[in-house]
Amino acid sequence: MQNPRTAVADGQRCGKRPSPWTAKVLSALLILTLTLPAAAQAAGPNPPSRPLRPGSLGEADNLPSPLSTPQVGYWYVVQPGDDIWLIAVAHGLSMDRLALVNGLKPPYWIHPGDRLWVPAKPAVVKRSTPRPTPTATPTPQPPATAAAPQEPAATADQPAVEASVPMTATLPAGDVPPLAQEMPPEAEATAAAAAGLEALSAPPEGTDPDAVLLFNLINEKRNAFGLPPYLWSPALAQAAQAHAEDCARRGWGSHVGSDGARLRTRYARVGYAASWASENWANASAPGSAFDMWWYEGPRGPHRLNILSPNYREVGIGVAKGRWGYYFVADFGAR
């Protein structure tokens, strides 16, 4: 039987009214629920999403998407003498990143008036105006009875520009080219095979990627200065590759081969009859480093002048692994 006192107590607990404090809390929550939507509507519509930045290199799908567009950046207008490498370095970027942002593909050619999106703060791009390579005046040939001048001894640091004069102007009458005396039968066969190789607008498939990159870097500079691009010469590439491998075997570089062959002899061995010829070589860890060694030796540096010379039409590049780094050889020529 239930206890009457317990039953009364239970009945009092079930019928108990809420306290004044609880009633105040519930009233406050109800007021907030009713007033928040009105306050949000009074604040105005949601702010619009960030718009796309205007401008492109000519194709809409090259524009960065709103999500990938950097917060810091601006549109840079390409000036005469600019190239993508100079622009990237001036803004503290890598050339690959700047090319990727703008949808550019090798050889990364740009032209004055193009607009590039640079994901960095504005910076000054330092460029230089090249001086044209002076055209050598052919020296009159001495009489056949005159003694042939002695060729100076070659040194490892001989400037490559010494070879950039017309070969026919330095050969006295009656003198016999060294090739006629020193070319072995196997070299004659190589020369005959290479004589029929025509210059190409780009390296063929299967060319060493480092040689292709160096070829593109050279032509990128020529394009920036309004010069026609070099053609790729398979014959000069053979000469450059043979000399790069020769330098790697002996462990040091030079413009003279280990057998004493100078540039004109090495060209003749592959059947390249050059009217103009010159050569750059470098021992470096990467093709970009080799190019920097040639380019940043000063406006009148012989290697830089070879890159920007109007006298040459073709180039061939060889790459060989050395004891340290690689040997890069660029042979320039015109027939």
Side-chain angles (χ1 to χ4, degrees), residues 46-52 66:
N46 293 330
S49 60
R50 182 175 55 190
L52 285 172

Side-chain angles (χ1 to χ4, degrees), residues 33-319:
T33 303
L34 295 175
T35 57
L36 280 178
Q41 185 175 2
N46 293 330
S49 60
R50 182 175 55 190
L52 285 172
R53 296 180 180 269
S56 68
L57 286 175
E59 297 183 7
D61 53 358
N62 282 342
L63 278 172
S65 67
L67 296 179
S68 62
T69 302
Q71 293 292 336
V72 178
Y74 73 109
W75 288 102
Y76 177 84
V77 179
V78 177
Q79 304 297 318
D82 281 347
D83 60 61
I84 191 170
W85 191 89
L86 281 177
I87 298 171
V89 170
H91 293 86
L93 305 171
S94 68
M95 184 177 67
D96 293 338
R97 182 185 176 191
L98 185 58
L100 179 63
V101 169
N102 290 277
L104 297 177
K105 297 181 180 180
Y108 306 138
W109 285 8
I110 55 178
H111 304 276
D114 286 348
R115 295 204 302 167
L116 296 177
W117 174 254
V118 180
K121 295 181 179 179
V124 177
V125 178
K126 297 181 180 180
R127 63 185 72 86
S128 59
T129 304
R131 305 174 188 175
T133 303
T135 303
T137 302
T139 305
Q141 297 181 352
T145 56
Q150 295 295 325
E151 189 173 11
T155 58
D157 57 352
Q158 180 183 9
V161 77
E162 288 189 4
S164 62
V165 295
M167 291 184 175
T168 55
T170 60
L171 187 62
D175 194 10
V176 179
L179 174 63
Q181 305 171 6
E182 61 182 309
M183 180 183 289
E186 59 272 15
E188 293 181 359
T190 303
L197 296 178
E198 298 295 333
L200 308 172
S201 60
E205 185 177 357
T207 303
D208 188 306
D210 286 346
V212 175
L213 176 56
L214 203 49
F215 175 80
N216 289 336
L217 289 173
I218 290 172
N219 274 339
E220 181 186 329
K221 288 293 185 184
R222 291 181 64 82
N223 179 75
F225 286 102
L227 295 169
Y230 283 139
L231 299 176
W232 177 269
S233 169
L236 292 180
Q238 288 184 17
Q241 185 63 37
H243 190 55
E245 293 174 358
D246 183 31
C247 293
R249 279 193 300 268
R250 67 186 178 187
W252 52 276
S254 170
H255 292 296
V256 182
S258 58
D259 61 350
R262 297 177 67 86
L263 187 62
R264 68 178 67 183
T265 301
R266 292 188 273 114
Y267 277 24
R269 284 176 177 173
V270 297
Y272 191 91
S275 59
W276 291 84
S278 192
E279 181 177 77
N280 289 0
W281 73 266
N283 182 204
S285 60
S289 300
F291 182 82
D292 290 347
M293 293 169 64
W294 299 339
W295 184 255
Y296 289 103
E297 63 181 1
R300 299 299 297 169
H303 302 91
R304 178 187 175 111
L305 291 178
N306 284 340
I307 295 172
L308 298 177
S309 174
N311 297 323
Y312 311 124
R313 299 290 180 268
E314 304 169 353
V315 67
I317 298 172
V319 182

